[in-house]
Amino acid sequence: KQEVTQIPAALSVPEGENLVLNCSFTDSAIYNLQWFRQDPGKGLTSLLLIQSSQREQTSGRLNASLDKSSGRSTLYIAASQPGDSATYLCAATGANSKLTFGKGITLSVRP
Amino acid sequence: SAVISQKPSRDICQRGTSLTIQCQVDSQVTMMFWYRQQPGQSLTLIATANQGSEATYESGFVIDKFPISRPNLTFSTLTVSNMSPEDSSIYLCSVAKEVSYEQYFGPGTRLTVT
């Protein structure tokens, strides 16, 4: 059974800092890995999708990497802004598109 | 991408009643799913909504408690039956154009059971 872990559960950084959010998974037989953002009381916004054959994906100030062999993914946020404050969830895609989610990292960017 | 709407956005219901949540997508999709997010927790998959056939439920979820319909490729409903306070959660639908494609989520339905 796939297990996805995100540590730490919460992170507070000053504005402008570059930061890395970590995600680990136990079963390397994944189809892809997605990173989502969730604002309080809202649904999920897809940020980046990395296919199992890829090593990384970039979108603006976000860069996600995937190392299937070690069961790890990272989300790099450059030059963080207060508007980046949210909960970031990673999810591993298994058979039949089923997502297994981590518990998320709640990020607070201080002005 | 896909634009997904859910109705209602929130509701407060009495114990023992049922609520049906609707999920509408702006384009045809192969995969539709229902998730539950309990307070302070991450998302848990309830079931895969299959078009024209019975949904596929995950361990711990049963059809009598969470009946699901999917009459076509753009619409699905989830009913939470005989509700108890433990059912208070956010319920989200998600879609993917094809198997293993990127998933998109609806805005969620916040359910409170009193």
Side-chain angles (χ1 to χ4, degrees):
Chain A
K1 178 185 174 185
Q2 178 74 272
E3 292 184 4
V4 178
T5 303
Q6 293 183 255
I7 296 174
L11 188 61
S12 180
V13 301
E15 181 177 5
E17 189 164 299
N18 300 325
L19 57 105
V20 174
L21 306 181
N22 294 305
C23 171
S24 62
F25 47 95
T26 55
D27 187 351
S28 62
I30 62 172
Y31 287 89
N32 56 54
L33 188 132
Q34 271 189 261
W35 282 92
F36 295 90
R37 168 182 172 141
Q38 186 174 32
D39 292 284
K42 305 290 186 182
L44 276 67
T45 300
S46 178
L47 297 174
L48 287 165
L49 170 76
I50 313 175
Q51 298 291 354
S52 61
S53 58
Q54 296 175 321
R55 296 285 290 183
E56 65 178 77
Q57 278 287 334
T58 298
S59 175
R61 293 184 295 110
L62 305 179
N63 175 277
S65 67
L66 175 64
D67 184 341
K68 272 184 57 177
S69 61
S70 66
R72 294 179 186 274
S73 176
T74 62
L75 178 67
Y76 175 82
I77 303 177
S80 58
Q81 304 170 358
D84 294 329
S85 297
T87 296
Y88 290 81
L89 296 137
C90 70
T93 305
N96 297 316
S97 293
K98 295 181 183 180
L99 293 181
T100 303
F101 281 86
K103 291 187 176 182
I105 298 174
T106 299
L107 173 65
S108 174
V109 181
R110 308 186 301 271
Chain B
S1 66
V3 177
I4 306 164
S5 60
Q6 283 186 236
K7 291 181 181 179
S9 59
R10 59 176 61 222
D11 207 340
I12 301 172
C13 300
Q14 297 283 341
R15 179 195 299 260
T17 63
S18 298
L19 176 72
T20 295
I21 303 168
Q22 298 179 3
C23 177
Q24 179 75 53
V25 193
D26 67 339
S27 58
Q28 293 186 344
V29 294
T30 299
M31 312 296 291
M32 291 185 81
F33 305 91
W34 287 97
Y35 289 83
R36 181 175 73 182
Q37 186 174 30
Q38 294 178 299
Q41 302 297 313
S42 191
L43 283 78
T44 301
L45 179 63
I46 297 172
T48 303
N50 300 309
Q51 192 254 331
S53 65
E54 192 172 290
T56 305
Y57 290 85
E58 297 301 303
S59 176
F61 298 96
V62 296
I63 187 171
D64 290 345
K65 176 66 176 177
F66 298 101
I68 289 170
S69 78
R70 188 180 174 190
N72 56 52
L73 294 177
T74 63
F75 185 79
S76 178
T77 66
L78 167 74
T79 298
V80 186
S81 303
N82 188 24
M83 288 184 285
S84 66
E86 293 71 36
D87 295 320
S88 297
S89 296
I90 298 174
Y91 292 86
L92 301 104
C93 72
S94 76
V95 305
K97 294 279 188 183
E98 299 290 343
V99 176
S100 300
Y101 276 38
E102 188 169 2
Q103 283 196 33
Y104 300 96
F105 281 77
T109 295
R110 182 180 293 272
L111 170 63
T112 302
V113 183
T114 61

